[in-house]
Amino acid sequence: MRTLVQIILWLGVGAATALAQSTPHEQRARSIYKELIEINTTDTPAGSVTKASQAMAARFRAAGFPEGDIKVLGPAPTKFNLVVRYRGTGAKRPMLLLAHLDVVEALREDWSFDPFVFREGDGYFYGRGTSDDKGMASQFVATLIRLKEEGFTPDRDVILALTADEETGDFNGASWLVEQHRDLVDAEFAINEGGGGTIRKGKYVTNEVQASEKLYQDFALKVTNAGGHSSLPVKDNAIYHLTNALARLSAFEFPVQLNEITRGYFERSAEVESDAAVAADMRAVARPTPDAAAAARLSARLPYWNSMMRTTCVATRLGGGHANNALPQLATANVNCRILPGVSVESVMKTISETLADPAITISLVNKATPSQAATLRPDVMNAVERITRELFPGVIVVPVMSTGATDSLYFRNAGIPTFGIDGTFGDVDDVRSHGRDERVGVKQYFEGLEFQYRLIKALAK
Ligand SMILES: [Zn+2]
């Protein structure tokens, strides 16, 4: 998933260290990647996550992992997940590597070539899932096999979970595993998709660590009225009730409320912000009590910064009336909210209701949101990411982020397992193709990401 609003940073520095290619380890990673891409794992009759889980289980078996540490399990025939345990000394509690195997449907006629045939060309790997999320899955599989071959003994068990139905479908593997088989996936912390390196205008700029997600919630607003002949208007008009109330909502702003992650984001971003006034404002909002004037200036400058600092609610749809010559019997609106982690849906609903300030308007929930707790940034994880980023991508800064889209991390965070979106495979912020046509990942970037994951897992497991 790279649908999160990407950070905008103005200073691009550093280029990636060129890594030697085509080591046996890289060749194996490539073949695992190819195998995964060529197994259709869409939520359609043609797709099966189970097939992909079984194929990866076979890889682990061949690499000598004990049968008892390889589990293929799930709640529906085509939705089996894979959980593999790489045993450590047990000195520390386990860490979990999480990647989803399912992909968004891709149609041959929409693509320049078959989306389920792995293809290398013009410096890219092409195929459905190359970026979301089979690149990461293949890197995890290849890395655990490599560590096993090297005789690496971690201080903690390293658990790998490759799961179903992150994108769509009724059998979300991450939530199923955490609820039904907590013992298999229980960990001190977890690494998942959702973060990653950004390339801007050809330059490697930031490596994002995603530790938090905003919550998506739609509210339906509705006013009903007896209506009547439009030649005899009355003050009690459904459309006016609604539009006047929406005008009040448009003027309302939720309070500025930073958390550890967004504070870190502004602090870090200030380091590379070329406009001194903006940098000063970033530092001012990052203080324990955010400076209100600075926050207002940043909000006005960039919607993304505004969205980082507060819960937002905005009218996105409007409907009403049934004839040009009749008083409206109905007026409706949809209000879409992106709620900060830790803020309850109920409190937002109450605030909206108070702001609309009209008892004629009823408000109801359109969707059932899953609350999403933020993860506390762990020094061991952050230090490892910082060090390895410095080693592999000199000049790139590590930035904690809160994303506006959701990943499976929320199920683990909500279960008390801090989960971080970390990915050393850099991608161009202006060329995001996940869920789209001709999805691809740079060949060089894929192998850099592979090396990044190897160093990261080794560092965190010791
Ligand atoms: Zn994804």
Side-chain angles (χ1 to χ4, degrees):
M1 126 56 244
R2 280 189 177 272
T3 55
L4 62 148
V5 177
Q6 298 286 354
I7 296 174
I8 297 172
L9 285 165
W10 314 109
L11 186 70
V13 279
T17 314
L19 293 162
Q21 281 181 21
S22 278
T23 63
H25 172 55
E26 287 171 340
Q27 283 162 24
R28 181 167 49 215
R30 189 189 187 283
S31 102
I32 293 168
Y33 198 12
K34 178 177 193 294
E35 186 174 18
L36 282 179
I37 296 296
E38 299 190 344
I39 299 171
N40 183 333
T41 52
T42 56
D43 181 35
T44 68
S48 170
V49 173
T50 303
K51 259 190 202 166
S53 289
Q54 283 165 345
M56 293 303 104
R59 294 268 182 176
F60 282 105
R61 241 171 253 129
F65 282 71
E67 194 59 47
D69 291 340
I70 305 167
K71 311 261 188 229
V72 178
L73 70 175
T78 59
K79 306 291 187 179
F80 276 41
N81 311 280
L82 172 68
V83 181
V84 173
R85 182 173 294 257
Y86 187 126
R87 301 262 169 198
T89 63
K92 295 179 184 168
R93 289 185 56 220
M95 62 182 271
L96 172 72
L97 308 173
L98 179 66
H100 64 89
L101 289 173
D102 63 309
V103 294
V104 173
E105 171 66 316
L107 301 175
R108 173 66 189 89
E109 56 268 33
D110 295 339
W111 280 51
S112 308
F113 31 76
D114 191 334
F116 297 102
V117 173
F118 187 73
R119 187 172 186 277
E120 185 177 343
D122 1 298
Y124 291 92
F125 291 129
Y126 288 88
R128 171 56 89 224
T130 43
S131 69
D132 187 9
D133 185 26
K134 288 177 169 174
M136 196 171 202
S138 66
Q139 289 169 347
F140 284 155
V141 173
T143 298
L144 292 192
I145 292 172
R146 176 182 178 182
L147 290 170
K148 172 102 176 154
E149 273 182 4
E150 292 174 354
F152 175 70
T153 307
D155 288 342
R156 51 166 42 116
D157 290 0
V158 181
I159 303 164
L160 171 66
L162 301 180
T163 64
D165 284 8
E166 190 270 349
E167 303 287 4
T168 49
D170 301 327
F171 302 98
N172 182 282
S175 109
W176 185 78
L177 285 170
V178 94
E179 279 162 24
Q180 307 292 323
H181 295 276
R182 174 81 185 232
D183 54 316
L184 283 182
V185 293
D186 199 25
E188 192 172 325
F189 62 89
I191 308 292
N192 186 25
E193 64 174 352
T198 64
I199 299 174
R200 191 168 287 280
K201 308 256 177 279
K203 291 195 165 169
Y204 287 46
V205 186
T206 59
N207 195 1
E208 301 176 348
V209 175
Q210 192 252 48
S212 176
E213 294 168 357
K214 272 184 131 179
L215 179 146
Y216 180 109
Q217 181 68 56
D218 284 317
F219 294 95
L221 275 43
K222 188 170 156 187
V223 185
T224 52
N225 190 281
H229 201 286
S230 64
S231 66
L232 299 169
V234 293
K235 292 292 176 198
D236 183 20
N237 176 300
I239 288 177
Y240 292 159
H241 273 289
L242 189 64
T243 53
N244 285 329
L246 287 175
R248 288 189 283 276
L249 185 66
S250 77
F252 175 79
E253 281 187 325
F254 281 83
V256 168
Q257 211 178 336
L258 273 74
N259 55 38
E260 185 200 14
I261 290 124
T262 51
R263 204 171 287 126
Y265 166 80
F266 283 112
E267 273 167 6
R268 282 302 175 85
S269 300
E271 289 172 29
V272 291
E273 171 58 50
S274 55
D275 185 323
V278 173
D281 281 347
M282 287 175 158
R283 292 194 177 94
V285 297
R287 285 187 207 127
T289 308
D291 181 279
R297 282 190 296 270
L298 291 177
S299 280
R301 196 171 176 109
L302 201 63
Y304 181 55
W305 291 340
N306 180 54
S307 179
M308 290 275 274
M309 291 189 286
R310 52 165 53 100
T311 293
T312 62
C313 289
V314 61
T316 52
R317 304 190 79 154
L318 194 59
H322 55 281
N324 288 351
N325 58 359
L327 297 174
Q329 290 178 309
L330 178 69
T332 61
N334 186 78
V335 171
N336 177 244
C337 297
R338 306 300 176 118
I339 302 174
L340 288 175
V343 175
S344 74
V345 171
E346 295 69 32
S347 75
V348 172
M349 191 158 168
K350 186 164 175 280
T351 303
I352 293 173
S353 171
E354 286 165 3
T355 306
L356 296 174
D358 186 341
I361 303 172
T362 63
I363 309 177
S364 58
L365 301 178
V366 175
N367 59 302
K368 189 182 176 302
T370 310
S372 186
Q373 298 299 318
T376 300
L377 295 171
R378 292 169 58 100
D380 54 351
V381 173
M382 293 307 286
N383 290 343
V385 173
E386 299 258 10
R387 174 177 62 75
I388 298 161
T389 300
R390 262 197 315 275
E391 287 169 8
L392 293 177
F393 314 109
V396 168
I397 62 161
V398 174
V399 184
V401 296
M402 173 178 68
S403 86
T404 53
T407 68
D408 279 341
S409 293
L410 74 90
Y411 301 110
F412 286 88
R413 288 185 188 133
N414 289 346
I417 301 171
T419 302
F420 305 97
I422 301 173
D423 188 351
T425 304
F426 280 60
D428 192 327
V429 294
D430 297 317
D431 183 34
V432 177
R433 299 186 183 195
S434 54
H435 300 198
R437 75 188 290 269
D438 297 353
E439 185 179 346
R440 67 184 187 178
V441 164
V443 172
K444 177 171 169 285
Q445 284 74 28
Y446 175 80
F447 288 120
E448 287 167 356
L450 180 66
E451 179 63 20
F452 182 93
Q453 294 298 12
Y454 170 74
R455 294 189 193 191
L456 183 72
I457 293 164
K458 234 175 140 171
L460 293 176
K462 262 293 173 193

